[in-house]
Amino acid sequence: MSVEYLKNLAVKAIDDKDRQLFGINQQIHQNPELAYEEFKAHDLLTQYLEDQGFQVNRSYTLPTAFRAVFSHGKGPKVCIICEYDALPSIGHACGHNLIAEAGIAAAIGIKAAMESSDNDLGQLVVYGTPAEEGGGGKIKMIKNGCFDDIDIAMMVHPCPFDAAYANVLAALSLSIVYEGKSAHAAGSPWEGINALDAAVQAYVNISTLRQQFKPTWRVHGIILEGGIKTNIIPSKTSLEYRARAPNDEELKILRQKCENCFLSAANATGCKVEITHKDICGDYYAAINNNLHLVDLYEKHATSLGIKFAPRANQMQMTSGSTDMGNVSRVVPSIHPLYKIDSEDGNHTVTFTAAASTEKSHRQTLIAAKSMAMTCIEVMCSPELQAQIKEEFIRSCSQ
């Protein structure tokens, strides 16, 4: 039985479940749940996978994570990843309902091919990973050993453009607290040390430095606490910043530049300052280590389904934020392709929330799911390709 025949079987199996898959994405979209609170989505996805013949472990190492497995003899362990947490106030503005649908759809297609194959194809593992939106669910799952037995991993993500190569940035968060001295703002302001002045100066310092930022760097922040009353010199203020860069080395450089801005604001105003790295599960979101063998395969299959990609050099410049999938790519050969849905605005907007629920976005999601399924099938059928993927991963980790 040829690889092409198995791929076609996978595509047909996904098409056959079209309405069921659309229903899954709709139920998750209509019931947004925040990080580590995704109980409805967890129950919906695990029940569906169990009904489709997967062996399911609910609450796998985390209350709202799961592991679903389908085996077909010896071979590689291929992992498809689902996400399903939402954002506060604006719901599924990052389209995680579609990511869940894509993961389930790809799993259905791969399973159909495995069942029909005359050869051992190995094991398909579907992971439900909670709390991508700042909670680092995948980081916890890595530490819990969930990826120790996985050979390759992949997921897809909706956004305003198509890119098989994901330019996902490393990111860390900083908490900054200034302490000054309160005084009456009209009666004796000279007796105070204005912590709000320090916070404003820190914000201005970062903004002033932007001209010297590399085009691939991102820094953004907010003032969380700015005082309590206009006639009291603020004695305490706090800010939160996030810094992003293409790799760990550049992120360290950028972090130091930011900290210099915060320290100089304290020196200028006479305030004390405390700068804290707000780690996520003891780590930070790493940049994606794109496995180019897998990227090429995904792009080939998505192209065969009608997707038009920009040249690779252009894809590598299309910045798309940060994710704990980057941390997975540190430990397992991985990809995180981005696929276009029709939204006038980008992710994390109310416009994107609306776009993530449409029939057209569902269609675009199924193309991404089929591309994942065909990629996995080709890998599972080729020991030579498996060896090349592993070789590239080892080489990339040593650089």
Side-chain angles (χ1 to χ4, degrees), residues 283-302:
D283 205 342
Y284 58 89
Y285 280 14
I288 288 276
N289 177 17
N290 287 274
N291 187 278
L292 297 182
H293 281 87
L294 291 173
V295 170
D296 290 343
L297 285 172
Y298 179 92
E299 185 165 329
K300 177 182 77 172
H301 293 120

Side-chain angles (χ1 to χ4, degrees), residues 203-278:
Y203 192 95
V204 171
N205 286 349
I206 293 288
S207 297
T208 302
L209 189 61
R210 289 188 193 281
Q211 187 180 25
Q212 278 66 54
F213 282 178
K214 290 185 177 183
T216 51
W217 291 357
R218 299 287 185 273
V219 176
H220 35 96
I222 55 173
I223 297 175
L224 294 172
E225 182 181 359
I228 54 174
K229 204 170 181 183
T230 57
N231 62 356
I232 302 173
I233 298 290
S235 61
K236 182 181 177 183
T237 56
S238 63
L239 305 91
E240 185 172 314
Y241 266 85
R242 179 166 288 189
R244 307 180 196 243
N247 55 58
D248 293 353
E249 184 178 337
E250 289 191 32
L251 187 62
K252 288 177 185 176
I253 295 169
L254 182 57
R255 174 181 178 175
Q256 188 58 59
K257 288 180 180 290
C258 291
E259 291 190 1
N260 290 343
C261 289
F262 305 141
L263 290 167
S264 65
N267 291 333
T269 57
C271 290
K272 296 177 182 177
V273 62
E274 182 180 355
I275 304 169
T276 307
H277 169 216
K278 294 182 66 178

